[in-house]
């Protein structure tokens, strides 16, 4: 494919960058950037190739002598200085360019958001700032001078000097350009401090727009907790005198780990009980931690090239998941992570966008910031830890930091530290990084003469470009229970390396009940013929909390799949929910997870995997019917749960009260099916926090009784951007599917639909694509609406348009009529004049 980059083509950069000095003279339409780049040639005779896009070159010189136009070549993608114009000894390249941040709607490079300058350079945004080798393996110390008529002027590293209208920053740690950041604006700081284990005093600041400063306390506390945790769990200390976070309203991603100057989407910083839900709080804490943890896993040790993105992302997601598990309830966090993994990554693996955690080619790297690179990348790190044990893992990580600090590394380097520290051969394990697809694990068992045998067969379905796969090295955690519910074999990790492999357990006087893939020890789909009675037994007796939940989930999923084909709800499932409601010993957050039914997309995924074409309307109907049946059957217990889980006193976002609210709202969702949404109306009127207010509103929307509440919610929150995002999101995702396309079409004409803001765009469009039966409506109106908006957004913000096109990735699951309707829309997008590289790569891959 034209313009494709291949992993196999990697070559080191032929110059070393010794030091970079940048001077910015800020102006919305004509910012001047002067660069002094001290470099040493490493390969005599090599041309000097610099990336640069949308730059107006003002001047260029080497060691103070101006270059003439015959010394270099400028193209739309960069600048090449001819070897003849280059000294053989170290030299300094001086350039000056002009850029226009005000007109930068792609939000990559230097751009403006509400009068504030900010940057986003990962992956390849720095080339829109100045001419430079914009690749992660070129690392250098940066000094930055900012001149601009704004009160706050920030960059990476430590502040070294400032005066009215200017400031200078120095970052002593060599870094690649994707970690460069600059912020200038009328901002206020919420400040604090942290003392590291070795006694370094670090100033902490969270910069926000005036008026938002009293919504930062939770984020600051999360940062302090993260800094302490990384010292305790990984022995990693912070390494500068200052750590700044800036909240920005217009941001394509969640947040960015620029060295010493993290830039965050404001929705992942700002929180108050009235405006943020429990889920928002948990997410803020996790993302603050994630970006902070990157200081070691990403910044100090970075990626050699973008194919290695999961080296920093998989590891850092694994670290933030462990952090949240320690701050909150470990088993609940694990279940939530697996729900998200299946919803996003398994779905990706099942469709035309499937790719390995480490891909080997791309056209636009922005399109590979995916669930596979992040969430599956984290699962692979978790399997490594399972294989070498907790102590072995810490030993390997210590070696990783010791051996590779200051380097740009590869997945091979990463695996090598585990091999060297454990003495194990992980050659086969590496396939988890290089092969796409979710393995399917078929299990059969046998019992004779006090011996129990488990036989596993693994097989990974074909994925684009990888028709055949060889077996993977898979850790399978197993426990065995006796028929009376006692555990007779505690958790044991079996290591599967063959396509088909048996494991035996001896000395068992009765046939045991197996609990397989405990704590979800490998990201695989378990295929085992089990009865509903056995699932109910595991839900009641398994000592592994994950597999207890998994048993309930499998029961619910199977019941819903059967109901789409006309079967009645399984009695075992209905009874099991009754026992769970009566079980006060189980944690409320855990009970809430069991009470919530699988989403419609998960049911569609399961039907497709079992060889049935999913019918979105039938799934929606079945799910509603099961909720009604559960509510009728357990009305008394649900009502008691709803009452008893009310949290008295002032709101706090801590795990315990959040778990009670979660269970309370799960009960409310069922009760609203049969009480005319009476309780939801009362809760909406009385709620003093966003969690319950939004939970009540959601039920009113599902019940079709929300018009008054929506108007009231809107008039109360019309000036609070992050809450108005929720107003769009809940309507788009939960309104009745039959008329959802009309509903979102109307919402898109609402004056508050500021579609150029990525958060607002994602609220409406992302919310709508989550309305499974609405998006997949048989007449194709949903697909048409969605495609129209991707086409409209693409010229302004190709990155967000391309990412949101993944809503179409499930099209091969559905019937021929829907497939044809999606194909028509994808072909219409592909045929659009001037389509971005981002979106054209995505439509080509989606069309296969
Ligand atoms: Zn990250």
């Amino acid at each position: 494919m034209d313009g494709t980059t291949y992993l196999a083509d990697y070559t080191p950069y032929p110059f070393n960058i010794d030091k970079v000095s940048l001077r910015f003279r800020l102006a919305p339409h004509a910012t001047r950037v002067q660069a002094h780049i001290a470099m040493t040639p490493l390969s005599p005779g090599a041309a000097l190739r610099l990336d640069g896009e949308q730059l107006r070159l003002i001047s260029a010189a080497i060691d103070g002598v101006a270059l003439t136009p015959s010394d270099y070549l400028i193209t739309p993608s960069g600048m090449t200085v001819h070897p003849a114009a280059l000294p053989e000894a170290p030299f300094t390249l001086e350039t000056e360019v002009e850029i226009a941040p005000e007109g930068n709607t792609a939000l990559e490079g230097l751009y403006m958001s509400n009068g504030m300058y900010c940057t986003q350079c990962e992956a390849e945004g720095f080339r829109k700032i100045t001419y430079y080798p914009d690749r992660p393996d070129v690392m250098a110390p940066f000094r930055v001078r900012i001149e601009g008529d704004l009160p706050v002027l920030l960059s990476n590293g430590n502040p070294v000097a400032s005066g009215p209208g200017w400031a200078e920053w120095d970052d002593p740690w060599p870094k690649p350009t994707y970690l460069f950041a600059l912020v200038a604006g009328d901002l206020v700081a919420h400040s604090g401090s942290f003392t590291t284990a070795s006694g370094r005093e670090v100033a902490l600041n969270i910069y926000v727009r005036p008026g938002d400063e009293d919504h930062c306390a939770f984020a600051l506390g999360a940062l302090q907790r993260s800094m302490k945790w990384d010292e305790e769990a990984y022995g990693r200390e912070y390494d500068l005198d200052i750590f700044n976070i800036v909240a920005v309203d217009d941001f394509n991603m969640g947040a960015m780990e620029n060295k010493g100057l993290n830039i965050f989407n404001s929705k992942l910083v700002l929180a108050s009980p009235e405006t943020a839900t429990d889920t928002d709080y948990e997410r803020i804490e996790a993302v603050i931690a994630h970006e902070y943890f990157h200081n070691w896993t990403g910044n100090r040790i970075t990626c050699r090239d973008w194919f290695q993105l999961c080296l920093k992302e998989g590891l850092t997601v694994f670290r933030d998941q462990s952090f949240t598990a320690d701050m909150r309830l470990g088993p609940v966090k694990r279940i939530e992570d697996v729900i998200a993994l299946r919803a996003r990554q398994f779905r990706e693996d099942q469709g035309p966008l499937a790719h390995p955690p480490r891909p080997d080619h791309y056209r636009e790297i922005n399109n590979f910031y995916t669930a596979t690179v992040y969430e599956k990348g984290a699962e692979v790190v978790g399997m490594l830890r399972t294989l070498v044990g907790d102590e072995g893992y810490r030993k390997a990580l210590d070696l990783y930091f010791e051996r590779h600090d200051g380097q740009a590394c590869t997945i091979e380097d990463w695996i090598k530290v585990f091999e060297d520290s454990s003495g194990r051969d992980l050659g086969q394990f590496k396939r988890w990084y290089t092969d796409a697809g979710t393995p399917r694990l078929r299990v059969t068992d046998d019992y004779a003469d006090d011996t129990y045998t488990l036989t596993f067969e693994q097989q990974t379905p074909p994925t684009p470009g990888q028709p055949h796969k060889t077996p993977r090295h898979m850790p399978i955690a197993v426990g065995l229970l006796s028929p009376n519910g006692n555990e007779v074999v505690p958790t044991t990790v079996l290591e599967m390396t063959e396509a088909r492999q048996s494991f035996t357990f001896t000395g068992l006087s009765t046939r045991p009940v197996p609990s397989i893939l405990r704590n979800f020890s490998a990201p695989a789909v378990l295929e085992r013929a089990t009865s509903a009675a056995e699932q109910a037994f595991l839900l009641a007796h398994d000592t592994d909390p994950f597999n207890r939940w998994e048993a309930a989930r499998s029961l619910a999923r199977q019941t819903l799949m059967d109901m789409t084909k006309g079967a009645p709800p399984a009695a075992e499932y209905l009874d099991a929910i009754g026992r769970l409601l009566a079980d006060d010993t189980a944690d409320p957050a855990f009970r809430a997870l069991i009470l919530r039914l699988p989403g419609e997309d998960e049911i569609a995924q399961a039907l497709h995997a079992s060889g049935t074409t999913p019918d979105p309307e039938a799934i929606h109907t079945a799910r509603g019917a099961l909720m009604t049946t559960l509510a009728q059957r357990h009305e008394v217990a649900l009502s008691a749960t709803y009452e008893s889980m009310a949290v008295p006193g002032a709101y706090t976002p801590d795990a315990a009260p959040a778990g009670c609210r979660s269970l309370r709202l799960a009960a409310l969702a069922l009760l609203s099916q049969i009480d005319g949404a009476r309780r939801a109306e009362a809760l909406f009127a009385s709620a003093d926090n966003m969690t319950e207010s939004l939970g009540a509103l959601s039920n009113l929307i599902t019940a079709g009784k929300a018009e008054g509440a929506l108007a009231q919610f809107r008039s109360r929150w019309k000036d609070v951007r992050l809450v108005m995002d929720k107003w769009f999101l809940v309507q788009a995702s939960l309104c009745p599917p039959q008329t959802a396309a009309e509903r979102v079409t109307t919402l898109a004409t609402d004056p508050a639909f500021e579609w150029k803001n990525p958060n607002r765009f994602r609220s409406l469009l992302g919310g709508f694509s989550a309305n499974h039966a609405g998006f997949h409506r048989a007449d194709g109106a949903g697909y048409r609406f969605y495609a129209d908006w991707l086409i409209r957004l693409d010229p302004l913000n190709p990155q967000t348009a391309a990412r949101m096109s993944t809503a179409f990735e499930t099209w091969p699951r559905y019937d021929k009529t829907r497939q044809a309707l999606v194909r028509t829309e994808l072909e219409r997008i592909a045929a659009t004049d001037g389509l971005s590289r981002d979106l054209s790569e995505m439509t080509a891959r989606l069309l296969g």
Side-chain angles (χ1 to χ4, degrees):
M1 201 185 283
D2 182 36
T4 301
T5 305
Y6 294 92
L7 171 62
D9 291 344
Y10 174 81
T11 49
Y13 194 62
F15 296 84
N16 190 59
I17 309 292
D18 306 312
K19 174 82 191 167
V20 180
S21 295
L22 300 174
R23 179 183 173 204
F24 288 81
R25 282 178 290 159
L26 297 174
H29 298 284
T31 288
R32 287 289 178 102
V33 185
Q34 286 179 329
H36 285 214
I37 308 167
M39 49 178 92
T40 303
L42 299 174
S43 165
L48 178 61
R49 160 78 200 167
L50 303 162
D51 300 298
E53 289 176 13
Q54 298 159 35
L55 307 173
R56 190 164 81 84
L57 183 67
I58 307 295
S59 64
I62 284 180
D63 290 335
V65 180
L67 294 177
T68 65
S70 64
D71 292 331
Y72 57 83
L73 179 71
I74 300 258
T75 68
S77 68
M79 171 180 183
T80 304
V81 184
H82 300 311
L86 298 171
E88 283 170 18
F91 62 89
T92 299
L93 174 73
E94 298 158 31
T95 59
E96 181 167 5
V97 301
E98 190 175 283
I99 54 177
E102 178 70 60
N104 180 355
T105 59
L107 314 183
E108 295 169 315
L110 180 67
Y111 65 95
M112 300 198 76
S113 169
N114 296 310
M116 158 186 174
Y117 293 85
C118 72
T119 52
Q120 172 56 37
C121 291
E122 186 176 359
E124 298 180 333
F126 193 78
R127 60 191 60 190
K128 295 179 175 175
I129 292 177
T130 193
Y131 287 107
Y132 194 84
D134 189 15
R135 41 187 284 172
D137 60 340
V138 174
M139 300 170 82
F142 278 66
R143 191 178 175 100
V144 176
R145 180 182 168 91
I146 310 165
E147 298 170 21
D149 187 21
L150 288 160
V152 174
L153 305 170
L154 307 171
S155 191
N156 314 90
N158 295 316
V160 284
S162 63
W166 66 276
E168 285 184 20
W169 292 79
D170 188 76
D171 185 359
W173 299 103
K175 68 168 176 290
T177 41
Y178 82 87
L179 294 171
F180 172 83
L182 179 152
V183 170
D186 181 10
L187 301 167
V188 290
H190 179 92
S191 302
S193 68
F194 182 80
T195 307
T196 66
S198 62
R200 180 199 280 267
E201 194 70 26
V202 183
L204 309 177
N205 300 295
I206 298 183
Y207 285 96
V208 293
R209 293 206 289 182
D212 285 340
E213 60 271 27
D214 51 351
H215 288 187
C216 302
F218 181 78
L220 182 70
L223 176 60
Q224 290 161 329
R225 291 192 289 282
S226 309
M227 296 176 88
K228 188 159 172 27
W229 186 88
D230 212 19
E231 291 182 348
E232 291 168 355
Y234 282 79
R236 298 296 112 195
E237 279 190 33
Y238 187 60
D239 54 8
L240 290 166
D241 303 331
I242 190 166
F243 188 89
N244 289 323
I245 289 175
V246 179
V248 183
D249 292 338
D250 300 285
F251 204 65
N252 279 338
M253 317 208 177
M256 179 62 213
E257 70 264 24
N258 318 295
K259 182 78 186 192
L261 178 55
N262 286 188
I263 298 180
F264 270 62
N265 190 316
S266 52
K267 75 174 183 174
L268 291 165
V269 173
L270 304 176
S272 71
E274 296 76 30
T275 59
T277 64
D278 291 329
T279 310
D280 293 331
Y281 277 100
E282 182 173 336
R283 183 102 186 101
I284 287 168
E285 185 177 61
V287 179
I288 293 260
H290 178 96
E291 306 306 333
Y292 174 73
F293 296 157
H294 267 315
N295 191 53
W296 275 96
T297 52
N299 302 5
R300 291 280 288 255
I301 303 178
T302 193
C303 303
R304 188 193 72 176
D305 51 65
W306 290 119
F307 297 104
Q308 322 294 332
L309 182 58
C310 74
L311 176 70
K312 76 176 178 80
E313 294 305 342
L315 174 55
T316 306
V317 170
F318 179 73
R319 274 151 55 68
D320 83 54
Q321 289 174 345
S322 310
F323 167 77
T324 301
D326 284 355
M327 295 298 119
R328 291 167 173 264
L329 293 167
V332 167
K333 171 64 177 160
R334 181 65 185 143
I335 293 164
E336 289 169 349
D337 288 341
V338 175
I339 292 173
L341 180 82
R342 286 174 172 158
R344 298 181 52 227
Q345 202 279 323
F346 281 23
R347 165 179 151 136
E348 192 163 74
D349 264 350
Q350 217 185 46
L353 301 179
H355 58 276
R358 187 178 70 180
D360 58 10
H361 66 281
Y362 60 76
R363 283 183 69 204
E364 173 52 65
I365 185 59
N366 283 337
N367 290 334
F368 284 86
Y369 285 73
T370 60
T372 296
V373 167
Y374 279 65
E375 276 77 26
K376 184 160 183 181
E379 291 299 317
V380 178
V381 175
M383 284 189 285
L384 276 171
R385 185 163 82 171
T386 302
L387 288 174
V388 303
D390 290 353
E391 268 180 48
Y393 176 77
R394 180 64 194 264
K395 219 170 114 188
L397 268 287
D398 286 348
L399 179 61
Y400 181 61
F401 295 123
E402 185 193 314
R403 186 183 281 178
H404 294 296
D405 188 13
Q407 296 179 3
C409 295
T410 61
I411 289 302
E412 283 74 15
D413 296 326
W414 165 249
I415 289 177
K416 188 85 168 66
V417 298
F418 279 85
E419 290 189 325
D420 290 353
S421 62
S422 71
R424 302 190 52 153
D425 178 354
L426 296 169
Q428 185 184 1
F429 183 83
K430 193 182 150 191
R431 287 178 194 152
W432 284 104
Y433 282 107
T434 56
D435 286 4
T438 307
R440 310 191 82 81
L441 194 59
R442 188 161 304 144
V443 189
T444 50
D445 62 348
D446 189 41
Y447 176 76
D449 304 328
D450 290 359
T451 298
Y452 180 66
T453 304
L454 277 171
T455 300
F456 297 92
E457 281 176 76
Q458 59 163 305
Q459 190 257 327
T460 305
T463 50
Q466 294 185 329
H468 305 292
K469 311 249 184 7
T470 43
R472 302 190 194 184
H473 183 175
M474 203 182 300
I476 305 172
V478 168
L480 300 179
L481 304 170
S482 74
N484 64 14
N486 292 330
E487 188 170 75
V488 287
V489 174
T491 303
T492 305
V493 177
L494 310 174
E495 291 195 26
M496 183 178 191
T497 53
E498 311 290 326
R500 184 173 196 280
Q501 208 169 341
S502 295
F503 300 87
T504 57
F505 302 84
T506 53
L508 297 165
S509 55
T510 51
R511 185 188 187 102
V513 177
S515 163
I516 301 167
L517 274 187
R518 283 187 160 180
N519 205 36
F520 205 56
S521 63
V525 175
L526 194 61
E527 292 180 346
R528 177 165 177 265
T530 45
S531 64
E534 187 176 319
Q535 302 284 19
F537 173 87
L538 287 171
L539 171 57
H541 299 292
D542 204 328
T543 59
D544 182 68
F546 178 83
N547 267 5
R548 274 192 76 191
W549 169 81
E550 181 81 315
R553 191 69 159 196
S554 304
L555 264 176
R557 202 187 297 120
Q558 192 59 51
T559 298
L560 286 161
M561 286 164 71
D562 295 344
M563 287 175 75
T564 63
K565 297 167 192 164
E572 288 86 351
Y573 176 69
L574 299 176
D575 292 345
I577 292 298
R579 283 192 297 275
L580 175 89
L581 283 167
D583 179 6
D584 289 334
T585 63
D587 191 89
F590 179 77
R591 281 191 277 161
L593 284 170
I594 291 186
L595 211 51
R596 286 182 196 281
L597 295 182
E600 293 173 28
D601 191 77
E602 180 176 334
I603 303 161
Q605 191 183 100
L607 283 165
H608 175 67
S610 72
T612 305
T613 302
D615 173 351
E617 288 90 18
I619 292 171
H620 182 75
T621 305
R623 195 170 179 277
L626 184 55
M627 289 176 76
T628 303
T629 304
L630 282 168
Q632 286 165 342
R633 176 85 174 254
H634 301 302
E635 185 177 359
V636 174
L638 284 166
S639 178
T641 301
Y642 179 74
E643 297 305 328
S644 67
M645 287 297 134
V647 181
Y651 174 95
T652 72
D654 302 337
C660 293
R661 281 187 290 270
S662 179
L663 179 54
R664 185 169 201 234
L665 291 173
L668 180 67
L670 297 177
L671 289 166
S672 294
Q673 298 281 327
I674 58 167
D675 74 352
R678 171 177 64 78
R679 292 178 183 83
E681 267 170 6
L683 182 64
F684 183 78
S686 67
D688 65 352
N689 62 79
M690 183 50 70
T691 306
E692 290 184 323
S693 177
L694 196 68
L697 182 62
S698 298
N699 284 306
L700 292 172
I701 293 170
T702 307
K705 295 192 167 182
E707 294 315 313
L710 281 166
Q712 207 184 323
F713 191 92
R714 186 204 172 104
S715 84
R716 177 163 181 204
W717 298 115
K718 61 182 188 305
D719 298 325
V720 183
R721 304 173 300 277
L722 297 174
V723 181
M724 280 306 288
D725 289 339
K726 299 181 195 301
W727 185 81
F728 281 99
L729 177 75
V730 287
Q731 293 183 72
S733 58
L734 297 171
C735 69
Q738 302 79 4
T739 51
E742 289 71 25
R743 179 79 166 223
V744 288
T745 302
T746 305
L747 283 168
T749 63
D750 190 299
F753 182 57
E754 300 157 24
W755 61 277
K756 293 174 191 172
N757 174 271
N759 287 357
R760 193 59 50 90
F761 190 87
R762 278 190 288 258
S763 291
L764 184 65
L765 277 289
F768 178 53
S769 68
N771 189 326
H772 184 257
F775 180 67
H776 293 287
R777 201 171 77 185
D779 65 357
Y783 303 146
R784 219 156 30 243
F785 168 83
Y786 202 88
D788 284 345
W789 276 102
L790 293 185
I791 290 169
R792 189 159 174 193
L793 183 67
D794 184 60
L796 272 77
N797 189 334
Q799 193 179 341
T800 295
R803 275 195 201 160
M804 297 204 62
S805 71
T806 57
F808 288 118
E809 73 183 329
T810 55
W811 71 268
R813 274 184 199 162
Y814 298 97
D815 54 83
K816 292 274 175 281
T817 309
R818 285 185 173 85
Q819 288 187 4
L821 288 165
V822 174
R823 205 160 247 289
T824 301
E825 298 307 325
L826 287 172
E827 282 164 359
R828 181 162 70 92
I829 297 171
T832 304
D833 278 345
L835 198 68
S836 69
R837 185 174 60 186
D838 304 60
L839 193 52
S840 66
E841 179 185 25
M842 291 301 281
T843 46
R845 287 169 64 205
L846 285 162
L847 284 163

